[in-house]
């Protein structure tokens, strides 16, 4: 390898192609001005420096004899005298100009000032800042979901289990177990007493930095609901319903999201806690349960955020007790992928957990599935959650429909609002739904304390879903007729076939009155459905409300038969001789709640009484002849009912517009005057979570009659179950959590989703047409990039930094000048960066096409034995690369993020320059002598910026740091130390460059600064693990991590930083070996762009490899022998001797 000799940064002034005098002239010509004006002043200083060199050879040699990090300097006094003599060669009138000057003669002014940048760089930065500003502004101000949570209140008490100690778990000194009690319900419970259990065990698991006290909203609601309602319901008690014992865990606010080992530790502790909780019910002294009930054998888990992921992890741990968990409910939990990928253990743990769950549910036989009895419900908060993207809460890639589903809080009946990451814990509407669902699923008569899995799934779907899903089960076909309805034969209450029933004002007859809708004939092309909407609640059998809906068939009462066969008898015949008897089923159990939509309505979560909606397909009503709507009000009121049979074809509008047409022209639909009450508009192209839209509806005139209700809009997805309601709608923001970046494909999807459907309820009595328009909200769509791509800034800017460093080394190896960061950034913007972004865009298009292609079935060839028969033919990692988009339409995001990354790099570089220059000024003030000392003496007395400590001391310091990494501290701590040392090196390099005004010293400063910029971009990858380690120290948990102690993960970076502290410039490489440097930086750039988001932790190791190569370049100019090592250990730094300082 042919290299330039490198004893120090100043040695780079030597060039074999020019004479020594010409080298001096070239160096003086290229000196940076550092804020001084005038070439004559610089030349005068240069001449004065040469004169001082002639008078003082030691001064000429200063800075050229810095000791190496691996051995004493080869410079001697004689060498210094030779260098001084060489500097005294007269300058020729026509000096040679080096290659850098020939190639960049117009860029010399930029090289003189590290703050200056080209017009192209400035324009790119301004464009980047504008894009970034518009995106953040959109995220903060546009397409925002309204907040509708009501605050909950409680009177908590936490009883600690002090006997759950080190005999049960090795984490007893770090974690604690508590039992929650509500003081108003259990006043006798004291925190100091031994807590007693009496109900069904439920364990709450807090999330990242969460508190055990976050259980109190759920615990209080469970205690109060059981006291006020359940314990008075004898039928529920007979079915096995009991109170809930809420347990909770104090994790000392562990940072679970940043550290995989912490997540595994929590899962291990929780399995031991579950075993301990179950043992409490076996102890008569600790249990106050009914002795006739079996002892519990399983615990229900409720997890928030990362606590939900830890709950799933428990079932994969070696200490998991089989069948001790069968129900898991999670809130805002990132199941699909890790929220950040900075920790290798976190990424690997996620992969192992998700693979375990997928493999379990891919088994053909239930006996081979260890999770067959487990139900998993994932609840997401929606767009208000700015901590965890709600897309990550989807479990469609993990669990089949028979065992779990994902639902958004805005879909839940009587909740109808989104929630942020913390309000989902205390939201009053939401906690009521959760507690009622859990209590409904309890069966204390069974050892596992819950109903069978299929019954649990029915309960959860009934409580959590809207009831309008295509698979929603109707209870009407399974019920028996229990109501006998008797009517007059001459009654005119039968509505004509095909006519709509509209009741304006119930109770006008001042007595109960039935209205009968005859069933349409079966076999209608396209099918028919019944829809009914009212602002009144439907009465169940035996209730005394205002409205009851029955599905009836004629029941001829034969001789000898008694009406006592029916538990309910509604006689509206007025005791006439001729009457018609109908055997009826009550429809109240199938009633669907909808948010009220009136002129005064603003949001769906308003506390107004909800509307009641019924919807049946005609096939579900084949056993009935009439729909009986019974007006039971005896006083006139303003309440109303609308019921009709409509054709499915008339109520469904299928749009065939593609994504491009949707974005450019939108969708416009004109609804006719004779439309059905409910109209559904399906837009299959509207499925991406990266796009937002605006929905508007034209004005609807109602004529003489006042409208019964204002338009009500439901936006919904079928996977995951996300619905949003807009009441009194005129305009609405349409955003969704559909096809999202980096998300694994669903277990049950064989293609794209059906897109968004818009379900519109409008008053059909108005008999007027109106327009419905859907258009793209471009500015609102920009904000959707923030949550989906916020981690891109941990990886994508490294693409820019790596290309700039590659260009800096390329220019340096060719010309001997190490350019500034901005100068080479300008060169990259003109050549390599655009080409790189174009190549990445083409790669993104190919990935999108391959991900949208159907998977090829395994051929029955000779290699078919390699495929497991139960292995799913789905590639769950196909969306992990690049920007994770499955749609080729979003190829433009590559150059968009490239431009934004350039601006971010410029801002960071300016920040680093500012800090270094400010600290350099402070350093200069501290190291300077008083002003009254004569100028020459002061220059001689000034401490040189590079007076490194002795090599022996540096080796000992480095060795101690590496030993600490191997035994106690994580290597991330050593990385922070290396960054601080590198900042100090940059400060000293800048100060030395100002003092010596040498081109070589400026080269070294540019080199050290670029290394610092590279290290700063890796800093976010290392910070989370360091924060976890510091947190563990704060809670006095001194057990070292099982990972993060690999010395090789940090040693090259430490050696590089230590080498730079001596002021040694990296040698130039003029042979083909320089392509290795080129290749390493290109590899870093490619990895940062393609794999950086999903596997960000590997960015540190790639930079570590680059550092190892740079260390090898530094050491290539030294010869190490045993005698050299002996001299190294005995070497005393001459720079520390004040007599030998210049």
């Amino acid at each position: 390898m042919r290299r330039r000799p490198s004893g120090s940064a100043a040695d780079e002034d030597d060039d074999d192609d020019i004479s020594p005098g010409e080298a001096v002239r070239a160096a003086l010509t290229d000196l940076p001005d550092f804020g001084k004006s005038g070439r004559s002043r610089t030349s005068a200083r240069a001449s004065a420096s040469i004169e001082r060199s002639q008078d003082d050879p030691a001064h000429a040699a200063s800075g050229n004899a810095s000791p190496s990090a691996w051995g004493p300097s080869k410079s001697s006094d004689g060498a210094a005298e030779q260098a001084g003599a060489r500097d005294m060669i007269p300058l020729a009138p026509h000096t040679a100009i080096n290659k850098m000057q020939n190639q960049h003669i117009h860029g010399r002014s930029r090289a003189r000032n590290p703050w200056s940048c080209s017009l192209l760089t400035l324009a790119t930065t301004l464009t980047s800042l504008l894009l970034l500003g518009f995106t953040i502004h959109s995220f903060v101000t546009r397409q925002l979901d309204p907040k509708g949570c009501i605050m909950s209140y409680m009177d908590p008490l936490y009883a600690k289990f002090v006997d759950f100690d080190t005999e049960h778990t090795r984490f007893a000194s770090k974690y604690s177990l508590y039992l929650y009690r509500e003081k108003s319900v259990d006043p006798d419970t004291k925190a100091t007493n031994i807590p007693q259990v009496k109900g069904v065990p439920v364990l709450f698991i807090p999330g990242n930095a969460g508190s055990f006290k976050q259980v109190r909203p759920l615990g209080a609601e469970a205690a109060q609901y059981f006291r006020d309602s359940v314990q008075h319901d004898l039928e529920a008690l007979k079915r096995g319903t009991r109170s809930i014992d809420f347990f909770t865990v104090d994790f000392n606010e562990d940072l679970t999201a940043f550290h995989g080992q912490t997540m595994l530790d929590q899962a291990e502790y929780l399995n031991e806690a579950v075993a301990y909780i179950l043992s409490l019910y076996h102890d008569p002294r600790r249990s106050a349960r009914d002795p006739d009930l079996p002892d519990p054998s399983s615990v229900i888990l409720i997890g928030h955020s990362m606590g939900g992921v830890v709950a799933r992890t428990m079932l994969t741990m070696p200490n998991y007790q089989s069948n001790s968990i069968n129900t898991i409910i999670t809130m805002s939990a990132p199941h699909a992928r890790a929220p950040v990928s900075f920790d290798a253990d976190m990424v690997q743990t996620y992969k192992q957990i998700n693979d375990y769950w997928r493999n379990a549910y891919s088994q053909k036989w239930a006996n081979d599935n260890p999770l067959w009895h487990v139900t998993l419900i994932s609840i997401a908060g929606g767009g208000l959650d700015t901590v965890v993207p709600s897309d990550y809460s989807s479990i469609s890639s993990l669990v089949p429909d028979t065992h779990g589903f994902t639902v958004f809080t805005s879909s839940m009946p009587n909740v109808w609002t989104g929630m942020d990451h913390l309000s989902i814990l205390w939201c009053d509407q939401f906690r009521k739904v959760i507690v009622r669902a859990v209590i409904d699923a309890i069966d204390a008569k069974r050892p596992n304390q819950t109903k069978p899995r299929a019954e649990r799934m029915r309960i959860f779907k009934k409580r959590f879903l809207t009831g309008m899903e295509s698979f929603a089960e109707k209870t009407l076909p399974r019920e028996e007729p229990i109501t006998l309805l008797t009517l007059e034969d001459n009654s005119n209450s039968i509505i004509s076939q095909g006519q709509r029933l509209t009741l304006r004002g119930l109770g006008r007859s001042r007595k109960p009155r039935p209205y009968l809708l005859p069933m349409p004939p079966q076999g209608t092309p396209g099918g028919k459905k019944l829809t009914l909407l009212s602002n009144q609640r439907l009465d169940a059998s035996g209730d005394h409300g205002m409205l009851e809906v029955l599905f009836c068939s004629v029941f001829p009462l034969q001789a000898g038969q008694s009406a006592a066969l029916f538990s309910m008898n509604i006689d509206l015949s007025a005791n006439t001789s001729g009457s018609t008897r109908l055997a009826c089923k009550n429809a109240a159990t199938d009633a669907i709640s909808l948010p009220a939509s009136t002129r005064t309505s603003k949001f769906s979560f308003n506390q107004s009484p909800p509307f009641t909606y019924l919807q049946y397909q005609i096939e579900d009503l084949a056993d009935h002849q009439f729909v009986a709507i019974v007006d039971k009000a005896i006083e006139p009121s303003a309440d109303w009912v609308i019921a009709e049979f409509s054709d499915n074809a008339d109520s469904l509008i299928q749009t065939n517009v593609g994504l491009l047409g949707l974005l450019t022209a939108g969708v416009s639909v004109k609804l006719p005057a004779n439309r059905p009450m409910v109209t559904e508009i399906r837009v299959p192209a509207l499925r991406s979570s990266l796009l937002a839209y605006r929905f508007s509806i034209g004005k609807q005139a109602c004529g003489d009659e006042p409208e019964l209700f204002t338009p009500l809009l439901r936006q919904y997805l079928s996977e995951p179950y996300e619905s949003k309601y807009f009441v009194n709608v005129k305009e609405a923001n349409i955003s969704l959590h559909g096809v999202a970046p980096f998300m694994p494909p669903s277990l049950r999807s064989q293609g794209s989703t059906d897109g968004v459907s818009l379900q519109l309820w409008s008053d059909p009595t108005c008999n007027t047409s109106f327009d419905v328009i859907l258009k793209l909200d471009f500015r609102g769509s920009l904000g959707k990039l923030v949550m989906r791509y916020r981690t891109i800034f941990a990886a994508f800017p490294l693409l820019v930094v790596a290309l700039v460093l590659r260009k800096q080394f390329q220019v340096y190896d060719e010309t001997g000048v190490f350019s500034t960061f901005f100068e080479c950034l300008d060169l990259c913007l003109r050549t390599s960066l655009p080409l790189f972004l174009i190549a990445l865009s083409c790669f993104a298009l190919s990935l999108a096409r391959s991900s949208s292609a159907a998977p090829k079935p395994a051929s029955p060839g000779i290699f078919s034995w390699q495929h497991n028969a139960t292995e799913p033919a789905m590639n769950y990692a196909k969306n992990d690369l690049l920007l994770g988009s499955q749609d080729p339409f979003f190829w433009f995001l590559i150059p968009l993020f490239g431009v934004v990354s350039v601006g971010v790099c410029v801002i960071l570089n300016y920040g680093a320059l500012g800090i270094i220059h400010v600290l350099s000024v402070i350093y200069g003030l501290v190291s300077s002598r008083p002003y009254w000392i004569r100028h020459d003496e002061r220059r001689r007395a000034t401490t040189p910026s590079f007076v490194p400590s002795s090599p022996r001391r540096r080796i000992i310091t480095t060795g101690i740091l590496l030993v600490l990494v191997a035994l106690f501290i994580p290597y991330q701590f050593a990385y922070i130390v290396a960054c601080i040392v590198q900042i100090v090196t940059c400060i000293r390099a800048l100060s030395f460059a100002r003092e010596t005004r040498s081109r070589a010293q400026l080269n070294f400063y540019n080199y050290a600064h670029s290394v610092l910029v590279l290290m700063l971009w890796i800093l976010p990858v290392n910070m989370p693990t360091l924060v976890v380690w510091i947190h563990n120290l704060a809670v006095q948990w001194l057990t070292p991590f099982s990972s993060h102690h690999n010395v090789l993960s940090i040693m090259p970076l430490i050696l590089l930083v230590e080498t730079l502290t001596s002021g040694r410039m990296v040698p130039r490489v003029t042979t083909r070996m320089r392509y290795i440097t080129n290749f390493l930086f290109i590899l870093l750039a490619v990895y940062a762009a393609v794999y950086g988001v999903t596997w960000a932790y590997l960015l540190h190791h790639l930079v570590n490899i680059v550092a190892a190569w740079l260390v090898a370049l530094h050491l290539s100019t030294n010869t190490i022998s045993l005698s050299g090592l002996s001299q190294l250990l005995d070497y005393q730094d001459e720079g520390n001797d004040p007599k030998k300082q210049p």
Side-chain angles (χ1 to χ4, degrees):
M1 186 186 301
R2 184 167 172 260
R3 298 178 178 83
R4 306 298 183 188
S6 176
S8 69
D11 288 341
E12 294 301 320
D13 286 337
D14 300 335
D15 198 319
D16 294 339
D17 298 330
I18 60 178
S19 65
E22 290 172 338
V24 174
R25 174 63 59 87
L28 295 176
T29 304
D30 290 337
L31 284 179
D33 202 359
F34 289 115
K36 303 293 183 181
S37 62
R39 180 182 299 271
S40 60
R41 185 178 305 174
T42 304
S43 302
R45 288 199 184 100
S47 301
S49 176
I50 294 176
E51 292 174 1
R52 285 193 297 271
S53 302
Q54 298 172 0
D55 296 336
D56 187 2
H59 174 75
S62 66
N64 293 346
S66 298
S68 169
W70 297 100
S73 173
K74 297 180 181 180
S75 301
S76 61
D77 293 339
E81 292 174 0
Q82 293 175 5
R86 185 178 61 184
D87 288 342
M88 290 189 293
I89 298 177
L91 299 178
H94 300 286
T95 58
I97 301 176
N98 61 25
K99 299 177 183 178
M100 185 65 184
Q101 292 169 316
N102 284 329
Q103 295 177 358
H104 307 290
I105 188 68
H106 299 292
R108 185 179 301 168
S109 60
R110 292 195 302 271
R112 290 174 180 172
N113 190 351
W115 294 87
S116 64
C117 60
S118 66
L119 291 178
L120 177 60
T121 304
L122 181 61
T124 306
T125 303
L126 292 178
T127 304
S128 168
L129 294 180
L130 286 175
L131 288 173
L132 196 58
F134 282 135
T135 302
I136 295 176
H137 182 268
S138 172
F139 175 70
V140 174
T141 62
R142 299 184 66 88
Q143 288 282 338
L144 300 180
D145 294 336
K147 298 180 179 180
C149 277
I150 301 174
M151 180 60 68
S152 56
Y153 298 93
M154 64 289 301
D155 191 9
L157 187 146
Y158 309 95
K160 183 177 180 179
F161 291 95
V162 293
D163 56 339
F164 186 49
D165 51 19
T166 54
E167 294 184 1
H168 298 85
T169 174
R170 65 189 180 100
F171 297 101
S173 61
K174 185 180 182 183
Y175 303 144
S176 303
L177 180 66
Y178 290 84
L179 175 65
Y180 179 86
R181 287 290 185 243
E182 182 69 10
K183 290 182 181 179
S184 61
V185 178
D186 300 291
D188 297 333
T189 304
K190 304 295 182 182
T192 57
N193 293 346
I194 298 177
Q196 281 194 327
V197 294
K198 58 182 179 180
V200 175
V202 175
L203 178 60
F204 173 80
I205 308 173
N208 180 63
S211 170
F212 69 99
K213 296 181 179 180
Q214 292 173 331
V215 72
R216 58 186 183 270
L218 294 175
E221 176 62 25
Q224 295 168 1
Y225 177 66
F226 183 83
R227 178 195 62 186
D228 298 338
S229 300
V230 179
Q231 70 177 0
H232 305 296
D233 188 347
L234 298 180
E235 290 298 324
L237 295 177
K238 290 180 181 178
R239 292 194 300 267
T241 305
R242 292 295 184 273
S243 63
I244 295 177
D245 290 330
F246 259 107
F247 297 85
T248 181
V249 180
D250 182 10
F251 284 137
N252 274 311
E253 300 183 0
D254 261 349
L255 302 174
T256 325
F258 300 146
H259 198 234
Q261 186 58 47
T262 299
M263 189 165 66
L264 295 175
D265 291 346
Q266 290 186 0
E268 179 183 341
Y269 175 83
L270 288 171
N271 277 328
E272 292 161 346
V274 166
Y276 173 80
I277 290 171
L278 295 177
S279 69
L280 297 176
Y281 294 87
H282 297 278
D283 188 352
R285 299 171 300 174
R286 309 294 293 271
S287 176
R289 278 169 56 100
D290 186 347
D292 295 334
L293 296 176
D295 293 330
S297 63
S298 68
V299 176
I300 299 173
L301 301 183
I302 298 180
H304 172 245
S305 187
M306 291 301 297
V309 183
V310 173
R312 287 199 302 119
T313 309
M314 294 170 61
L315 283 75
T316 68
M317 299 295 291
N319 67 335
Y320 169 65
Q321 182 178 332
S322 180
N323 297 328
S324 61
I325 299 169
N326 66 6
T327 303
I328 303 176
I329 299 176
T330 67
M331 301 176 290
S332 299
H335 292 291
R337 60 183 287 118
V340 291
S341 58
F342 299 158
D343 179 57
D345 287 346
M346 176 63 71
V347 176
Q348 294 300 322
T349 300
Y350 253 89
K351 184 179 185 305
Q352 293 170 4
I353 297 168
N354 290 347
D355 287 347
Y356 179 86
W357 280 68
R358 292 186 185 114
N359 293 336
Y361 287 116
S362 67
Q363 300 301 316
K364 183 178 181 179
W365 304 105
N367 291 336
D368 298 329
N369 182 4
L371 306 177
W372 180 255
H373 62 288
V374 177
T375 55
L376 174 62
I377 310 299
S378 177
I379 304 172
L384 289 177
D385 191 345
T386 57
V387 176
V388 173
S390 290
D391 306 282
Y392 292 2
S393 296
S394 174
I395 58 173
S396 60
S397 64
L398 303 171
V399 178
D401 283 334
T402 55
H403 290 73
F405 56 86
T406 306
V407 63
F408 285 70
T409 57
S410 57
S411 305
M412 293 184 173
N414 300 310
V415 178
W416 298 321
T417 180
M419 300 175 192
D420 61 46
H421 200 67
L422 292 179
S423 65
I424 200 171
L425 289 165
W426 53 259
C427 185
D428 188 59
Q429 311 100 297
F430 175 70
R431 68 167 183 162
K432 285 181 168 61
V433 175
I434 292 291
V435 167
R436 283 155 178 74
V438 172
I439 289 182
D440 288 348
I442 285 175
D443 185 359
K445 294 183 178 181
R446 295 166 53 90
N448 57 14
Q449 302 297 289
T450 59
K451 292 179 172 63
R453 178 188 53 80
E455 182 64 22
R456 294 200 306 272
M457 287 298 298
R458 279 195 291 268
I459 291 171
F460 291 144
K461 289 180 179 179
K462 181 70 175 178
R463 287 287 186 180
F464 296 154
L465 302 185
T466 64
M468 291 177 280
E469 292 78 15
S470 59
F471 59 83
E473 295 184 7
K474 303 295 184 181
T475 60
L476 187 70
R478 301 197 305 267
E479 293 182 353
E480 296 294 332
I482 60 174
T483 302
L484 180 63
L485 178 62
T486 305
L487 306 175
E488 295 178 348
D489 278 344
N490 58 354
S491 173
N492 58 357
S493 59
I494 299 179
I495 309 300
S496 302
Q497 184 76 39
Q499 183 179 350
R500 178 187 297 121
L501 171 65
T502 303
L503 297 181
R504 290 179 177 269
L506 300 179
R508 292 185 177 182
S509 301
R510 296 185 180 273
K511 64 178 182 179
R513 180 178 178 181
Y515 299 88
L516 301 183
L517 284 175
M519 294 290 175
Q522 298 285 335
T524 304
K528 284 182 174 290
K529 65 180 179 181
L530 168 71
T531 54
L532 180 146
L533 185 66
S534 174
N535 65 339
Q536 271 295 317
R537 184 180 64 86
L538 300 186
D539 285 353
S541 297
D543 291 348
H544 303 285
M546 300 177 63
L547 184 66
E548 188 167 354
V549 177
L550 304 170
F551 290 85
C552 307
S553 300
V554 176
F555 182 76
L557 192 62
Q558 303 296 333
Q561 286 184 320
S562 172
L565 295 173
F566 301 91
S567 59
M568 291 298 301
N569 189 357
I570 303 177
D571 190 354
L572 303 178
S573 62
N575 296 323
T576 58
S577 57
S579 61
T580 301
R581 293 175 176 84
L582 302 177
C584 303
K585 300 178 182 180
N586 190 283
T589 55
D590 288 334
I592 299 170
S593 293
L594 293 177
S597 182
T598 63
R599 284 296 176 189
T600 60
S601 300
K602 292 184 178 180
F603 301 108
S604 57
F605 48 79
N606 288 341
Q607 297 303 301
S608 304
F611 287 173
T612 301
Y613 179 63
L614 280 178
Q615 176 178 297
Y616 291 97
Q617 291 295 326
I618 191 64
E619 292 80 8
D620 298 330
L621 307 176
D623 297 336
H624 307 285
Q625 296 171 310
F626 297 97
V627 180
I629 294 96
V630 183
D631 177 6
K632 299 165 60 177
I634 58 177
E635 295 291 338
S637 68
D639 301 310
W640 49 267
V641 180
I642 301 177
E644 65 179 5
F645 283 98
S646 59
D647 293 335
N648 289 329
D650 294 337
S651 59
L652 177 62
I653 300 175
Q654 184 81 27
T655 62
N656 297 319
V657 62
L659 180 59
L660 185 59
L662 179 63
L663 300 182
T664 54
V667 173
S668 180
V669 177
K670 188 177 185 64
L671 300 182
N674 59 344
R675 65 188 176 275
M677 177 176 60
V678 185
T679 304
E680 183 172 339
I681 304 173
R682 293 182 180 174
V683 190
L686 204 166
R687 60 177 181 268
S688 174
S689 62
L690 296 178
L691 298 174
Y693 301 84
R694 289 287 295 172
F695 174 89
S696 60
I697 185 171
K699 187 175 181 181
Q700 182 182 15
C702 247
D704 298 334
E705 293 284 351
E707 60 187 0
L708 297 178
F709 64 96
T710 54
L712 169 65
L713 176 67
R714 175 193 173 218
Q715 163 210 329
Y716 75 92
L717 276 173
S718 58
E719 184 184 306
Y721 301 120
E722 180 185 23
S723 295
K724 292 182 181 179
Y725 295 91
F726 304 92
V727 298
N728 192 19
V729 61
K730 299 179 180 64
E731 291 185 345
N733 293 324
I734 305 297
S735 60
L736 60 145
H737 295 82
V739 179
F742 304 108
M743 289 295 293
S746 172
L747 287 174
R748 47 195 173 273
S749 69
Q750 297 300 326
S752 60
T753 64
D754 295 331
V756 166
S757 295
L758 303 174
Q759 200 170 9
L760 182 65
W761 286 264
S762 58
D763 189 350
T765 62
C766 292
N767 200 29
T768 56
S769 62
F770 59 87
D771 295 325
V772 172
I773 300 174
L774 182 70
K775 286 188 174 295
L776 173 71
D777 183 1
F778 174 75
R779 293 175 60 189
S781 299
L782 283 177
K784 301 304 174 184
L785 299 175
V786 174
M787 287 302 297
R788 276 78 180 189
Y789 286 116
R790 57 183 177 177
T791 56
I792 200 84
F793 292 107
F796 227 69
L798 270 175
L799 162 68
V800 179
V801 175
L803 292 180
V804 171
L805 276 164
R806 167 186 168 272
K807 179 60 68 175
Q808 286 179 302
F809 275 92
Q810 189 177 28
V811 171
Y812 174 64
D813 289 336
E814 292 177 358
T815 66
V817 176
F818 204 96
S819 304
T820 65
F821 186 89
F822 282 143
E823 188 171 4
C824 285
L825 176 60
D826 176 63
L827 295 177
C828 290
L829 288 175
R830 299 176 188 275
T831 54
S832 57
L833 187 58
L835 295 176
F836 215 89
L837 294 179
I838 291 173
L840 290 175
S841 300
C842 296
F843 183 52
L845 289 172
S846 64
L847 284 178
R849 292 192 182 97
S850 63
S851 65
S852 60
K856 298 180 180 180
S859 60
I862 59 175
F863 297 106
S864 59
W865 57 270
Q866 297 178 355
H867 301 277
N868 190 341
T870 61
E871 182 181 358
M874 192 79 69
N875 180 15
Y876 294 102
K878 67 179 183 179
N879 299 322
D880 288 344
L881 304 182
L882 209 56
L883 296 183
S885 177
Q886 305 96 318
D887 197 330
F889 174 80
F890 295 104
W891 66 268
F892 65 89
L893 291 179
I894 300 291
L896 176 67
F897 286 124
V899 171
V900 173
S901 298
V902 170
V904 173
C905 288
V906 170
I907 297 301
L908 178 71
N909 191 50
Y910 271 127
L913 283 173
I915 294 174
I916 291 172
H917 277 70
V918 170
L919 295 179
S920 176
V921 171
I922 298 174
Y923 177 83
L925 295 175
V926 172
S927 60
S928 299
R929 289 297 182 95
Y931 69 92
W932 57 80
I933 300 179
R934 192 162 52 89
H935 178 73
D936 290 342
E937 294 180 357
R938 186 172 59 193
R939 286 190 57 89
R940 293 173 179 268
T942 300
T943 303
S945 296
F946 280 101
V947 182
S949 59
S950 66
R952 179 171 58 183
R953 182 179 301 174
R954 295 206 305 275
I955 290 176
I956 293 175
T957 303
T958 303
I960 292 175
L961 186 60
L962 294 178
V963 170
L964 289 176
V965 168
L967 299 179
F968 181 65
I969 65 174
Y971 69 78
Q972 288 83 357
F973 180 85
Y975 185 84
I976 302 298
V977 174
C979 289
I980 296 174
V981 173
Q982 185 64 18
I983 292 175
V984 175
T985 300
C986 290
I987 296 171
R988 297 169 62 200
L990 179 60
S991 300
F992 202 22
R994 283 172 169 173
E995 293 173 8
T996 61
R997 313 198 60 79
S998 167
R999 175 76 248 185
Q1001 296 302 330
L1002 182 61
N1003 282 349
F1004 176 75
Y1005 167 69
N1006 291 336
Y1007 169 51
H1009 177 81
S1010 296
V1011 172
L1012 175 63
V1013 170
L1014 179 63
M1015 294 177 66
L1016 290 179
W1017 277 115
I1018 302 299
L1019 193 60
V1021 177
N1022 292 283
M1023 281 300 295
T1025 302
L1026 179 63
V1027 172
V1028 173
W1029 180 71
I1030 295 174
H1031 174 269
N1032 284 349
L1033 292 182
V1035 298
Q1036 299 181 359
W1037 182 254
L1038 304 180
T1039 304
F1041 294 154
S1042 59
S1043 57
H1044 309 299
H1045 293 284
N1046 187 354
V1047 174
L1048 295 179
S1049 298
I1050 193 62
M1051 186 168 65
L1053 281 164
I1054 292 178
L1055 294 179
L1056 176 62
V1057 169
E1058 282 294 326
T1059 301
L1060 294 181
T1061 59
S1062 64
R1064 293 171 53 83
M1065 183 62 186
V1066 64
R1068 294 168 56 191
V1069 183
T1070 58
T1071 64
R1072 294 183 179 180
M1073 297 299 290
R1074 66 180 181 272
Y1075 295 123
I1076 297 180
T1077 309
N1078 227 14
F1079 169 77
L1080 288 177
F1081 283 115
I1082 291 178
L1083 176 64
L1084 177 60
V1086 171
Y1087 184 89
V1090 178
Y1091 303 97
V1093 176
T1094 303
W1095 296 281
Y1097 66 93
L1098 284 176
L1099 292 172
H1100 168 90
H1101 300 291
L1102 286 178
V1103 172
N1104 199 45
I1105 293 174
V1106 172
W1109 172 246
L1110 295 180
V1111 171
L1113 292 181
H1114 277 282
L1115 296 180
S1116 62
T1117 57
N1118 292 342
T1119 58
I1120 301 178
S1121 63
L1122 294 178
S1123 59
L1125 290 176
S1126 176
Q1127 294 177 5
L1128 178 67
L1129 296 176
D1130 295 335
Y1131 176 74
Q1132 298 297 328
D1133 188 8
E1134 296 179 357
N1136 292 332
D1137 188 353
K1139 296 181 180 179
K1140 296 185 179 182
Q1141 289 183 3

